[in-house]
Amino acid sequence: MADGDTKNSGKNSSGNSGGSRKKEDPGPSVKDPEVYEALRDDGASKEKAARIANAAANTSREKVGRKGGEAGSYDDWTVDELRDRARELDVEGRSTMNKDELIKALREH
């Protein structure tokens, strides 16, 4: 190999071999790393995955799946109520979002 040439190791510019995201230790605050990783692989944010994984560890995975349904549908909320909830969750861009965009952002948070 000549000076200045580099060997292609099959890795992308970030050092990963591409495809899926790199598995990282979620840290001591996550009580069920298996659930956390499964949720992250499904596209959940770090915050949401940690919240669900910890809820699962505090009860049982089965109970966490049935837990929802206490709050009303976001479709029934006013725009002001949706913005207040988005503010609590620190959703960026909430002040310029319409009702449908707020609902989508809250559901994906």
Side-chain angles (χ1 to χ4, degrees), residues 72-83:
S73 170
Y74 283 141
D75 295 318
D76 298 333
W77 292 27
T78 67
V79 173
D80 286 338
E81 291 169 329
L82 292 167
R83 283 204 178 109

Side-chain angles (χ1 to χ4, degrees), residues 21-83:
R21 69 178 182 82
K22 182 180 172 190
K23 304 258 189 226
E24 295 181 15
D25 181 12
S29 63
V30 174
K31 298 174 185 168
D32 192 336
E34 183 180 328
V35 170
Y36 175 85
E37 286 300 331
L39 290 164
R40 291 288 289 140
D41 288 344
D42 287 341
S45 69
K46 289 179 182 179
E47 180 182 346
K48 184 175 183 179
R51 197 169 49 237
I52 294 170
N54 289 343
N58 287 335
T59 59
S60 73
R61 292 179 185 176
E62 185 177 325
K63 286 182 182 177
V64 170
R66 291 187 306 221
K67 187 176 178 181
E70 296 173 13
S73 170
Y74 283 141
D75 295 318
D76 298 333
W77 292 27
T78 67
V79 173
D80 286 338
E81 291 169 329
L82 292 167
R83 283 204 178 109

